[in-house]
Amino acid sequence: MSDPHILLSGQSLALGMPRQDMLPEYHRWENDARTILGYGNQWAQSWEVRAAGYERQRGNDRYQQFEVVRLEDQASVGMTVLQVNTFDRTAEFVIVLAPEERGKGHAAEATRLTLDWAFHLAALRMVWLKVMEPNRAGIAAYAKAGFRQSGRLRKSGFWLGQPVDELLMDVLPEDFPGPSAVTAALGN
């Protein structure tokens, strides 16, 4: 495996460039039953579909991916994505963590680092996400990173086979909880 290319460092995590040689790991994380449940999917994705999708995503400047790297050992622990709408300068946020890395506080820091990039480098006006209402751990991590509930899609998702509401959450630059790793890295 290649070494991670770190773009932005936080306290215990960093954002790096996605690595093609990590694609099998990303695929494993995305096909974990808890990931499928959290995304509201019903099916695993084949390797062929995932590999082809990676190639398309790499050339799409509206689909900004970051590998989440643990600083202490340079291990990859997750991915975050900003699906950017360039016309209105907003983005949808998505995160996936390695199954063995969940419950360790990584979600909040990885989310905060991605928002730091989104607001202080990409100059986005707003970032939003959808989360299944029963996903209390996700909701808490997003709130800790600055997201606020902004709406509800009634019975639009499934959780353990039952229809559930999806919550819409958003965050504006002024909601960013700081401190900014971007401004610290730039010496401002």
Side-chain angles (χ1 to χ4, degrees):
M1 300 251 164
S2 61
D3 290 335
H5 177 150
I6 302 298
L7 299 169
L8 182 64
S9 294
Q11 291 184 316
S12 63
L13 300 176
L15 297 181
M17 295 291 296
R19 297 175 281 167
Q20 188 167 15
D21 61 349
M22 286 294 296
L23 191 55
E25 276 298 288
Y26 306 158
H27 184 252
R28 179 180 70 83
W29 304 339
E30 293 162 352
N31 283 298
D32 176 74
R34 289 176 292 172
T35 303
I36 291 170
L37 177 67
Y39 281 171
N41 296 340
Q42 287 79 42
W43 312 106
Q45 186 178 66
S46 73
W47 169 252
E48 294 79 9
V49 169
R50 180 60 177 105
Y54 181 78
E55 289 304 318
R56 280 192 313 276
Q57 293 162 354
R58 282 183 3 160
N60 184 349
D61 63 350
R62 295 180 183 180
Y63 196 86
Q64 295 298 315
Q65 300 176 72
F66 299 98
E67 184 177 84
V68 180
V69 177
R70 188 173 46 227
L71 287 171
E72 86 179 30
D73 60 2
Q74 302 291 288
S76 180
V77 299
M79 292 280 297
T80 62
V81 177
L82 292 169
Q83 296 178 38
V84 179
N85 180 328
T86 57
F87 299 107
D88 59 19
R89 309 283 319 144
T90 65
E92 180 179 5
F93 174 79
V94 179
I95 185 171
V96 62
L97 292 176
E100 60 277 6
E101 296 298 328
R102 295 179 185 145
K104 298 180 179 181
H106 295 328
E109 185 175 359
T111 300
R112 199 168 42 255
L113 281 169
T114 306
L115 292 175
D116 197 356
W117 187 285
F119 295 137
H120 299 116
L121 289 173
L124 296 180
R125 295 183 315 115
M126 184 268 289
V127 177
W128 64 277
L129 61 83
K130 292 189 298 187
V131 59
M132 301 293 171
E133 188 171 36
N135 185 353
R136 294 290 172 209
I139 293 167
Y142 302 140
K144 188 174 181 181
F147 279 93
R148 300 177 185 179
Q149 187 174 335
S150 58
R152 174 181 300 270
L153 300 172
R154 297 179 301 151
K155 306 289 185 208
S156 64
F158 287 92
W159 189 267
L160 299 175
Q162 299 300 310
V164 297
D165 292 357
E166 286 182 281
L167 302 181
L168 297 173
M169 299 180 80
D170 65 14
V171 58
L172 302 173
E174 55 266 27
D175 301 327
F176 180 75
S180 171
V182 170
T183 57
L186 297 175
N188 296 343

